[in-house]
Amino acid sequence: MNHFEFTADELILGKHTLRRIRATRDLPTHDVKAGDLGGWIESSDNLDENAWVGGNARVYEDARVFGDAFVFGDARVFGDARVCGAAFVFGDARVFGDALVFRAAKVFGAAKVFGAAKVFGNARVYWDALVCGAAQVSGDAQVSGDAFVFGDARVFGDARVSGRAGVFGDARVSGHAWVSGAARIFQPQDVLTLGPTGSESVFITLFRTAASHELWVGCWQGTVDELGAEVERRSQKWGVDLKTAQQWRAEYQALETLCRQRINSWGPG
């Protein structure tokens, strides 16, 4: 038996007629009480199990929201998209095409997930980010800002893709990688992640950009040419014995050598 009923309210969306729903029983997972008004769906096939559509959200065409999923705000789910598990889609987010959002994933802000893309695990896609094609975002990964992930790209682990970064093709961004700004990642070799290392046991990410590269050492952002000066600045605050200081310097020197070798492998442009 459905946990909702249709009200008399209708919303015409192009050739689709959507109707507002009302809960017929409590849904504690979503803090919904029997009698609460929900959002808009086109047919009873759009919503199943303990899932809920609330606010001004709209689910239509052959899209399905099921499991314990929650779609609310001004979100739109349509096409053959699926939102399930304990997933959340909210804000002005759009999930469409053959996209799949599941487990505990969240898509919000003005983000778009479409094509055959998948967002799952505890992943977050938000602000104006795009995930499309056959791309996958999973684990505890986050894609935000104006970033876009498409093709057969994978972003997973604790990785962060933000700013105007682009991850394409067969690229893989994983671990503690932090890719941002003007990054252009086309293949696995376009990003390098190391750590914890150095004086603060930080994670390091080197990634390719359209013009050259960017290097992140913890929260510091710069280039390989600027790394030496940054190490000198940090060394003034180390306050450790000579042996430890020498070890840290050696690690940073090895890092610089490895980064230069990776950058050289990219070739011009």
Side-chain angles (χ1 to χ4, degrees):
M1 179 179 177
N2 286 335
H3 55 286
F4 65 91
E5 61 186 5
F6 288 106
T7 69
D9 298 333
E10 291 188 346
L11 174 68
I12 305 300
L13 193 64
K15 62 181 180 180
H16 304 282
T17 300
L18 281 62
R19 290 180 290 171
R20 186 178 289 280
I21 59 173
R22 179 190 295 115
T24 55
R25 60 177 170 85
D26 293 352
L27 296 170
T29 301
H30 308 305
D31 196 26
V32 171
K33 303 294 185 183
D36 285 353
L37 290 175
W40 306 83
I41 67 175
E42 186 171 11
S43 81
S44 58
D45 292 334
N46 295 134
L47 185 62
D48 200 3
E49 299 178 9
N50 292 312
W52 187 246
V53 177
N56 195 41
R58 303 169 189 181
V59 179
Y60 56 100
E61 295 182 339
D62 293 315
R64 289 191 63 216
V65 179
F66 57 102
D68 289 312
F70 193 11
V71 178
F72 58 103
D74 288 306
R76 306 287 186 271
V77 180
F78 56 99
D80 290 304
R82 300 290 184 266
V83 179
C84 56
F88 280 67
V89 178
F90 56 101
D92 290 309
R94 303 290 185 266
V95 179
F96 57 99
D98 291 308
L100 178 58
V101 179
F102 61 107
R103 294 181 187 160
K106 290 182 173 61
V107 179
F108 55 99
K112 293 181 176 62
V113 178
F114 57 99
K118 294 180 175 63
V119 179
F120 57 99
N122 291 306
R124 305 289 183 270
V125 178
Y126 56 102
W127 293 339
D128 293 303
L130 301 178
V131 179
C132 57
Q136 294 185 12
V137 180
S138 61
D140 291 304
Q142 296 184 20
V143 180
S144 61
D146 293 307
F148 47 97
V149 181
F150 63 95
D152 290 307
R154 303 287 185 269
V155 179
F156 55 99
D158 290 306
R160 302 290 184 269
V161 180
S162 60
R164 295 172 290 107
V167 182
F168 318 78
D170 295 317
R172 301 291 185 267
V173 179
S174 61
H176 292 271
W178 193 337
V179 176
S180 66
R184 292 296 181 267
I185 312 301
F186 293 90
Q187 55 187 345
Q189 290 294 309
D190 289 342
V191 60
L192 174 67
T193 308
L194 298 169
T197 191
S199 59
E200 298 167 13
S201 295
V202 293
F203 285 90
I204 291 123
T205 305
L206 171 75
F207 57 86
R208 191 173 188 173
T209 67
S212 180
H213 73 278
E214 287 186 21
L215 176 65
W216 285 76
V217 179
C219 293
W220 177 80
Q221 178 184 6
T223 67
V224 172
D225 290 336
E226 297 167 338
L227 178 61
E230 173 62 14
V231 172
E232 287 303 315
R233 185 189 69 79
R234 291 181 181 216
S235 69
Q236 304 305 311
K237 302 178 181 179
W238 285 350
V240 295
D241 59 80
L242 179 61
K243 182 178 179 181
T244 301
Q246 289 175 336
Q247 175 190 334
W248 288 347
R249 285 185 183 278
E251 287 186 5
Y252 283 123
Q253 288 170 357
L255 169 66
E256 180 176 346
T257 299
L258 179 59
C259 287
R260 290 191 185 280
Q261 185 170 349
R262 178 61 62 87
I263 292 167
N264 290 337
S265 75
W266 295 337

